[in-house]
Amino acid sequence: MAETSATTVTGEPASRPRKSSWKYIGPGIVVAATGVGAGDLVATLIAGSKFGYTLMWAAVIGCVVKISLAEAAGRWHLATGRTLFDGWRSLGPWTTVYFAVYVVLWGFIYGATAMSSSALPIVALFPDGPGLKFWAIVTGLIGLAFVWFNRYAVFEKVMTVLIGIMFVVVVYVAARVVPDVGASFAGLLPVLPDGSLLYTLGLIGGVGGTITMAAYGYWVNAKGWSNSSWMKVMRLDNRVAYITTGVFVVAMLIVGAELLHASQVALTSGDRGLIDLGKVLEDRFGAGTAKLFLVGFFATSFSSLIGVWHGVSLMFADFVERFRAPAAGAAKAGEHEGADVAERRQRSLPFRAYLLWLTFPPMTLLWLDEPFGLVIAYGVLGAFFMPFLALTLLWLLNSSRTPGEWRNGWVSNGMLALSGLLFVVLCVQQVRDLPW
C-alpha cells in the first residue's frame, strides 16, 4: 500500500504513516490468546489423531483466512474512525436485533463454559483440593476483578505473559513427541481423506475464529491506534497474531499425529480432552511434562476468559452507546475512536454490566444442565456469527462508507468471499448437528 496521507472520518488529514515495528505489537497478541481456547486445541488434536499430518494444509489455509478477516476488521476501524458495530448499524436495524440477542445469550452460556474450562486444569493439578464448581467460580471472580480494575495496557501485558506460557508449553510438547518432518511437509499438499471434510472445514474455520475477531478493532483503538496512519502497524500486528495461532495449530496436529494417531488413543471432545491428553503425556513422558502441560492448558483457558471479559464487554458498551445515539449520544457516536474513547467505555456502566452478566448468571449453569431450547438458540446464533462477520465486512469495505483508498482490493475481496462461503457451510453443518 502506498504511503500516502489519508483523511480521517472527520475529513482532517491523518498524520504520516507510522513505520511498522515490533515494539508496537499488542492487540494481535491479545486476539491470538483469546481466540485459541481449549476446545479448539482438542478439535485440532482429534484431527491429528484421526488423519495424522494429512490436514496440515488446512491449518495453513485457516491461518491465512483469519489474517484476512481480522485485517478487514482492523482496517475498518482505522480507515473510517468508526467502530465495527457502528458500521453494522449502518447496514440496517436487522444487525442490531441479531447482535442484541446474540451477545446476551452467547455471554450467558459462554461464561459458564469459560469458567469450567479454566477450572479443569486446576482440579487436575490439585486433585485433593476443592472441586470443579469451586475453582470455576474462583476463576470467574478473578477474571471479573482483573478486567474491572485494570486498563488496556495492564491487560495486554498479562495476555502477553499467558500466550508466552501457551507458546512455550505447546511447542515443547510438540518437540517432545519428535515430529516427522517429512510427513509434515507432505501434509501441505491438499488432500481430503475419506471422512475428513468436516475436520478440514473445522481446522480452516475453527481455531481462533470467534467473536473476538470482531473485538480486534476495539483493541486496536484501545492501544491508541486511531487513524489510517497506523495501518502498516496494524497489519504487522495482525500477521503476528495469526502466525502465532498457526504455530499452535501445527503443534497440536503434530501431538495428535505422533502421540495419538499411531496408538489410536481417543480423546473426549471439548475441554476435557486436554485432561485425557495430560494422562497420556504422564504415561509417556512422566509427571513433570504432564504438569507443565496442565499449566499451559490453564493459560490457554484463562487467557480466553479474560480476553472475552474485556473485548466483548467493550463491544457491548459500544452497542449500548450507539443504540442511545440519536439524542445525547450523537456526539459520542461521531467521536473519533482511540484510546480515550476506549478508556471511557471501560469505565462505563454498560461495560461493567456486561462483565457482571458474563460472571454471575452463568454460575447457575454450573449446577444445571443447559436447557434444551437454550442450547438450540445458542447453537444457531453462534453458528451464524462468523458468516455474519465475514459477509458484513465484505459489504462495508466495498461501499462508500469506507474511504476509497482503503476499500477492498481483489485479494481482500477473494479472501473475505472465501471466508464467508466457508463459514456459511460450517454454519449449516453446526445447525444440522444440534440436538433437535
Side-chain angles (χ1 to χ4, degrees):
M1 191 68 68
E3 289 197 17
T4 56
S5 295
T7 57
T8 68
V9 73
T10 59
E12 298 170 358
S15 53
R16 290 178 61 81
R18 268 77 170 181
K19 278 184 87 170
S20 55
S21 170
W22 295 101
K23 70 180 182 180
Y24 292 125
I25 299 301
I29 296 296
V30 171
V31 79
T34 306
V36 181
D40 295 314
L41 295 186
V42 173
T44 308
L45 278 168
I46 292 174
S49 71
K50 286 181 176 292
F51 303 104
Y53 292 96
T54 310
L55 300 182
M56 188 75 77
W57 63 273
V60 174
I61 290 178
C63 183
V64 175
V65 165
K66 303 303 183 337
I67 286 173
S68 302
L69 202 52
E71 187 275 341
R75 176 155 46 95
W76 166 264
H77 276 249
L78 295 181
T80 66
R82 300 165 68 186
T83 65
L84 189 52
F85 184 76
D86 195 17
W88 285 339
R89 195 178 179 202
S90 73
L91 301 179
W94 65 275
T95 59
T96 301
V97 173
Y98 167 71
F99 186 78
V101 177
Y102 171 72
V103 79
V104 171
L105 185 57
W106 180 87
F108 181 54
I109 295 186
Y110 180 83
T113 303
M115 288 186 274
S116 295
S117 179
S118 297
L120 275 170
I122 301 176
V123 173
L125 282 166
F126 306 104
D128 298 327
L132 182 73
K133 293 182 180 67
F134 173 84
W135 286 118
I137 291 170
V138 168
T139 57
L141 293 175
I142 291 172
L144 170 68
F146 173 75
V147 175
W148 189 290
F149 292 109
N150 286 296
R151 295 294 169 253
Y152 176 79
V154 177
F155 166 72
E156 184 187 285
K157 286 182 174 63
V158 171
M159 292 293 273
T160 302
V161 170
L162 290 172
I163 201 171
I165 294 170
M166 291 164 59
F167 192 90
V168 169
V169 169
V170 168
V171 171
Y172 169 75
V173 171
R176 283 299 301 268
V177 301
V178 190
D180 184 332
V181 177
S184 61
F185 276 107
L188 296 175
L189 183 68
V191 174
L192 274 179
D194 289 343
S196 68
L197 179 60
L198 292 181
Y199 292 97
T200 303
L201 291 173
L203 271 180
I204 296 173
V207 182
T210 68
I211 191 174
T212 55
M213 294 192 72
Y216 178 60
Y218 290 83
W219 285 323
V220 162
N221 290 152
K223 180 75 170 175
W225 306 347
S226 57
N227 57 48
S228 59
S229 69
W230 290 99
M231 201 70 76
K232 275 191 166 186
V233 176
M234 180 276 292
R235 284 171 168 161
L236 174 64
D237 177 77
N238 173 49
R239 286 167 194 150
V240 169
Y242 284 98
I243 289 171
T244 303
T245 301
V247 171
F248 288 137
V249 178
V250 168
M252 284 292 101
L253 265 178
I254 290 169
V255 174
E258 293 292 344
L259 198 61
L260 308 176
H261 182 59
S263 55
Q264 293 297 299
V265 175
L267 295 184
T268 308
S269 61
D271 301 346
R272 291 183 180 274
L274 293 186
I275 298 295
D276 296 346
L277 179 60
K279 293 173 183 173
V280 174
L281 288 171
E282 184 170 5
D283 292 342
R284 177 85 174 265
F285 301 113
T289 297
K291 289 185 185 301
L292 180 65
F293 175 74
L294 290 171
V295 170
F297 177 3
F298 174 76
T300 301
S301 298
F302 191 67
S303 63
S304 293
L305 186 153
I306 60 174
V308 166
W309 263 230
H310 188 276
V312 184
S313 296
L314 271 180
M315 292 183 70
F316 183 77
D318 180 45
F319 163 73
V320 173
E321 190 174 288
R322 308 292 162 182
F323 195 71
R324 294 171 173 172
K332 289 180 181 177
E335 191 174 356
H336 200 69
E337 296 294 327
D340 292 344
V341 179
E343 182 79 12
R344 170 172 55 73
R345 284 202 185 107
Q346 288 175 86
R347 293 193 301 268
S348 69
L349 179 61
F351 180 90
R352 291 183 168 175
Y354 194 73
L355 269 180
L356 296 173
W357 175 253
L358 280 167
T359 307
F360 291 107
M363 288 179 183
T364 60
L365 294 180
L366 298 174
W367 279 270
L368 302 171
D369 289 330
E370 295 167 6
F372 177 78
L374 193 61
V375 170
I376 297 297
Y378 171 77
V380 172
L381 288 166
F384 186 60
F385 183 79
M386 290 305 287
F388 169 79
L389 176 62
L391 296 174
T392 53
L393 281 170
L394 194 62
W395 187 350
L396 289 168
L397 292 167
N398 282 291
S399 72
S400 59
R401 298 170 182 84
T402 305
E405 181 183 358
W406 301 112
R407 287 178 201 161
N408 279 356
W410 66 270
V411 174
S412 295
N413 277 327
M415 292 307 300
L416 285 177
L418 175 65
S419 301
L421 179 62
L422 168 70
F423 291 126
V424 166
V425 174
L426 283 170
C427 172
V428 171
Q429 187 58 43
Q430 284 177 262
V431 171
R432 286 178 58 190
D433 287 345
L434 290 170
W436 295 99

